[in-house]
Amino acid sequence: MTDSAAITAYWDAAADDFDAEPDHGLRAAGTRDAWSRLLTAWLPPDPSSVLDVGCGTGSLSALVAEAGHRVTGIDLSPRMVDRARAKLSAAGLPARFLVGDAAAPPTGDERFDVLLSRHLVWTLPDPGAALADWTARLRPGGTLILVEGRWRESDGAGGGYVTGAEALPWHGGVTAPPTCPPPSAPGHRPARRALVTRPRPLGRPGDGQSGTR
């Protein structure tokens, strides 16, 4: 499933129940507070422009806007974008949401202080190209925030839309270490990787701090 129509259909179908996942809807106070603390630590202290790629239903966009930043959310799924707009509107939070390919956001020559991507890179057919595009959209001294994992395997018929995820340009990519149980094992929890980097003008992912959570 590498064409955009199929990927759009997949996430459109997931939109209605997307926020039922604790880490998506952030409905539990503890989960929401934990993400808020992380974003506060990662984002600049002053109001900044933030591009949230693959924003889904806008849960992180809402936290970013609550912190006083100017947020633009991008998602390929119109149904996800509709929910993101409704969520922030109901909360009285300003934000801009656009339907488009998160790997090449439809924001023209606009530059941002921060680019935020959560749980997206693992789905991309060409993650290296996406990362190069994203860093080029940052102002000098800008911040690239990646929070990653891998939750679904390929379709077994030559790929699936996660094909290429192992080609990420830092050691280990986003796959779980060999000591983790397979996805079907009881109690399995996917590996995640958070990377926060402030690239040089033509920054490269991995220039900053990284670690697993």
Side-chain angles (χ1 to χ4, degrees):
M1 192 162 63
T2 57
D3 64 283
S4 61
I7 298 172
T8 298
Y10 180 95
W11 292 113
D12 271 350
D16 287 345
D17 299 322
F18 194 72
D19 280 354
E21 292 287 337
D23 217 28
H24 292 164
L26 309 186
R27 291 168 175 169
T31 304
R32 183 180 178 85
D33 289 347
W35 275 105
S36 181
R37 289 193 300 271
L38 283 172
L39 289 173
T40 297
W42 293 338
L43 293 169
D46 299 323
S48 305
S49 59
V50 179
L51 181 61
D52 182 5
V53 294
C55 64
T57 60
S59 293
L60 289 196
S61 292
L63 294 181
V64 170
E66 285 177 358
H69 301 286
R70 303 177 301 279
V71 63
T72 297
I74 306 291
D75 204 280
L76 192 63
S77 163
R79 291 178 67 85
M80 291 284 189
V81 167
D82 286 345
R83 280 153 180 74
R85 287 174 176 153
K87 181 180 294 184
L88 273 77
S89 177
L93 295 169
R96 172 178 60 158
F97 291 100
L98 303 173
V99 175
D101 187 352
T107 54
D109 294 331
E110 187 174 356
R111 295 294 176 263
F112 298 86
D113 299 307
V114 178
L115 190 143
L116 168 64
S117 170
R118 181 179 76 146
H119 306 172
L120 173 68
V121 172
W122 72 279
T123 73
L124 300 178
D126 191 344
L131 291 166
D133 181 281
W134 295 347
T135 55
R137 294 173 188 270
L138 290 171
R139 295 189 176 100
T143 301
L144 174 65
I145 301 174
L146 303 178
V147 182
E148 271 311 319
R150 180 168 179 162
W151 287 267
R152 296 174 182 83
E153 298 300 323
S154 69
D155 59 13
Y161 66 87
V162 299
T163 300
E166 295 85 354
L168 288 167
W170 60 78
H171 180 69
V174 296
T175 55
T179 54
C180 286
S184 59
H188 169 74
R189 299 189 66 179
R192 295 182 184 172
R193 174 168 298 232
L195 179 147
V196 182
T197 181
R198 291 170 176 80
R200 295 183 289 274
L202 295 177
R204 296 176 301 174
D207 288 342
Q209 299 176 351
S210 66
T212 54
R213 292 194 301 109

